[in-house]
């Protein structure tokens, strides 16, 4: 419903509380966030024939540092590679530091090499076509076990691009079944030996899964243009979860995109390389623009998954344990103006805007005059934890423009001194819609820190916009 223009008589509520945290982001990254204090470090592999045949599974030809080709990329063609859209999409946020492990190198963990997995949060294996050595498999498994994120991307069986007798299906299955760390189905899935020519798999219905609902956008599905699926084995690893399924499949069969955990790290699996192919790359390759294929939401899926994997630890596979918990006090505001620090009248049971659940919510704005409201709460994120900020947001407005953001809501993370570490997102009168929408933000970069989650609603001089927030959480695992 459209919130009435509220008089300034809203019930005073708020207690001055602690520090500073959390700068908001829109589900689709409408605003480019400020760089995180410690960027998420992602290493893309190019040692396993990722450019053999017609493939070009690299983020850029400048290796190991893609910034050597263009230090401030704004479009996928600023870097050369079929995965350049993926790389540029991460680089533009300011929250990621990307590298490539060039051909001729060895995958290591725990050495002095600058490209050692110990120095990264996430390792991407984009359709590997060469079996990992015994030492490399040990390195990868220990990396995940100690808190790293592993992104495995397969292709259809028989896609042996370098003609060495092994395809991505065999390489990934070999990693999981023949390593010195744990060969007893460690991730809870196996890659199917299938060649599925075409399908448009759909995502599961979820409002809470961080990959489906990540800050890069809502995932509705993906595409198969010659790929495979995975069989899930929750009896071996209860954390395994199918997120996108081949048409007609569900449960433990036909999972096209799946996630799992191992030790204190995280794993994601994708059954085809076509969705990550942006159609651009080095000359001589036959590429396909699956990244922008309207039959799937492939870009948000790749980017959200990278974000989730990179939040597995605050220290690049550095280890640590974490007890699952929800850290915010009074998350649904039902205790009124307690725990939170808020402007007068923000935490309210005013019936002009309904709560999502219960009777109380946080209502920022809604005056129709120049006005600023704030809402914040400090939180300590344990070392070694993945952390996600979630909130439900409803926006309604009396503004009629379709082009100008007169009124805004910022979600930010602040340090203990009050300085903004990151603006997770910005919403405005242009985002008005009926009902509440879930917004989720990765706080993994702030593990081991005390930060403040802060929302700031600012209205212009005329016509109200209401930013209504309910059912918040900072969940760690």
């Amino acid at each position: 419903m459209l919130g009435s223009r509220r008089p300034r008589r809203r019930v005073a509520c708020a207690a001055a509380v602690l520090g500073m945290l959390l700068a908001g982001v829109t589900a689709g990254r409408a605003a480019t966030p400020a760089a995180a204090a410690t960027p998420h470090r992602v290493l893309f592999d190019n040692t396993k024939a990722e450019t053999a045949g017609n493939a070009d599974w690299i983020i850029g030809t400048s290796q190991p540092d893609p910034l050597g080709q263009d230090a401030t990329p704004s479009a996928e063609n600023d870097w050369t590679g079929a995965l350049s859209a993926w790389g540029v999409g991460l680089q533009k946020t300011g929250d990621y530091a990307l590298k490539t492990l060039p051909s001729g190198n060895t995958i290591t963990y725990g050495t002095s090499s600058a490209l050692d997995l110990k120095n990264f949060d996430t390792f991407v294996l984009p359709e590997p076509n060469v079996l990992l050595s015994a030492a490399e498999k040990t390195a990868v498994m220990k990396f995940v076990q100690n808190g790293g994120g592993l992104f495995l991307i397969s292709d259809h069986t028989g896609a042996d691009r370098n003609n060495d007798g092994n395809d991505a299906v065999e390489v990934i299955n070999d990693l999981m079944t023949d390593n010195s760390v744990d060969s007893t189905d460690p991730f809870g899935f196996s890659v199917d030996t299938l060649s599925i020519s075409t399908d448009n798999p759909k995502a599961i219905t979820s409002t809470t899964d961080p990959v489906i609902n990540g800050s890069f956008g809502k995932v509705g599905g993906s595409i198969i243009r010659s790929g495979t699926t995975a069989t899930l084995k929750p009896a071996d690893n209860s954390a395994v979860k199918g997120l996108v399924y081949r048409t007609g499949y569900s449960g433990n069969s036909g999972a096209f995109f799946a996630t799992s955990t191992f030790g204190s790290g995280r794993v994601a699996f994708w059954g085809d390389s076509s969705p990550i192919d942006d159609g651009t790359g080095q000359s001589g390759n036959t590429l396909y623009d699956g990244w922008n294929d309207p039959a799937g939401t492939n870009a948000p899926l790749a980017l959200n998954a990278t974000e989730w994997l990179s939040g597995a630890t605050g220290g690049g596979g550095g280890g640590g344990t974490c007890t699952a918990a929800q850290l915010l006090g009074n998350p649904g505001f039902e205790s009124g103006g307690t725990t939170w620090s808020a402007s007068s009248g923000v935490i309210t049971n005013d019936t002009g805007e309904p709560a999502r659940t219960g009777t109380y919510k946080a209502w920022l704005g809604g005056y129709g005059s120049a006005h600023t409201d704030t809402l914040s709460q400090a939180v300590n994120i344990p070392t070694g934890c993945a952390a996600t900020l979630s909130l439900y947001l409803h926006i309604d407005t009396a503004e009629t423009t379709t082009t100008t953001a007169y009124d805004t809501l910022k979600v930010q993370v602040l340090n203990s001194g009050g300085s903004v570490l990151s603006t997770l997102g910005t919403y405005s009168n242009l985002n008005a819609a009926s009902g509440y929408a879930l917004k989720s933000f990765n706080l993994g970069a702030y593990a081991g820190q005390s930060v403040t989650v802060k929302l700031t609603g600012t209205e212009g001089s005329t016509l109200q916009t209401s930013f209504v927030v309910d059912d918040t959480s900072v969940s760690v695992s």
Side-chain angles (χ1 to χ4, degrees), residues 234-251:
D236 296 334
N237 186 331
S238 61
V240 71
K241 182 179 182 181
L243 300 185
V244 180
Y245 282 87
R246 180 184 179 189
T247 302
Y249 290 78
S250 62

Side-chain angles (χ1 to χ4, degrees), residues 11 13 330 332-337 346-350 353-362 436 469-471:
V11 179
C13 49
N330 191 20
F333 308 106
E334 295 306 309
S335 297
V346 165
I347 299 176
T348 178
N349 61 355
D350 188 323
E353 287 282 356
R356 177 177 178 270
T357 60
T359 56
Y360 279 81
K361 68 278 174 182
Y436 283 83
V469 177
D470 204 355
D471 298 326

Side-chain angles (χ1 to χ4, degrees), residues 21-35:
L21 196 189
L22 199 287
V25 82
T26 63
R29 295 257 181 190
T32 301

Side-chain angles (χ1 to χ4, degrees), residues 41 108-111 115-120 143 146 315-319:
R41 301 157 297 176
T108 62
Y109 179 74
T111 72
L115 298 176
D116 187 274
L117 291 179
K118 187 77 172 181
N119 299 317
F120 295 89
F143 167 70
N146 290 332

Side-chain angles (χ1 to χ4, degrees), residues 150-239:
L150 176 63
F151 206 149
L152 300 168
I153 300 167
S154 185
D155 201 356
H156 61 92
T157 189
D160 180 9
R161 297 182 184 274
N162 63 335
N163 299 311
D164 71 342
N166 298 294
D167 56 32
V169 174
E170 294 165 315
V171 172
I172 295 173
N173 280 334
D174 179 71
L175 167 66
M176 299 186 294
T177 60
D178 185 17
N179 67 80
S180 65
V181 179
D182 187 341
S183 294
T184 59
D185 196 19
F187 305 151
F189 66 84
S190 61
V191 185
D192 300 326
T193 55
L194 297 175
S195 183
I196 305 163
S197 61
T198 185
D199 189 37
N200 298 324
K202 299 304 180 186
I204 62 172
T205 300
S206 173
T207 59
T208 58
D209 185 88
V211 175
I212 298 297
N213 303 280
S215 62
F216 289 93
K218 177 75 173 181
V219 174
S222 187
I223 61 168
I224 299 178
R225 301 296 182 263
S226 290
T228 189
T229 55
T231 296
L232 309 187
K233 304 174 184 179
D236 296 334
N237 186 331
S238 61

Side-chain angles (χ1 to χ4, degrees), residues 66-137:
L67 298 180
Q69 182 174 12
D70 191 322
T72 57
S74 60
E76 61 187 39
N77 287 326
D78 291 338
W79 290 352
T80 303
L83 306 188
S84 60
W86 186 354
V88 171
L90 295 173
Q91 183 67 34
K92 286 168 62 178
T93 70
D95 290 339
Y96 291 84
L98 310 179
K99 293 289 188 293
T100 296
L101 186 63
S103 176
N105 282 260
T106 299
I107 302 167
T108 62
Y109 179 74
T111 72
S112 60
S113 170
L115 298 176
D116 187 274
L117 291 179
K118 187 77 172 181
N119 299 317
F120 295 89
D121 300 301
T122 296
F123 182 46
V124 182
L125 274 169
E127 197 192 332
N129 265 256
V130 176
L131 292 173
L132 278 65
S133 69
E136 288 179 318
K137 287 186 285 187

Side-chain angles (χ1 to χ4, degrees), residues 46-64:
N46 187 30
T47 70
K48 304 304 173 203
E50 279 92 351
T51 61
N54 288 326
D56 196 40
W57 309 138
I58 56 174
I59 59 173
T61 52
S62 177
Q63 300 178 11

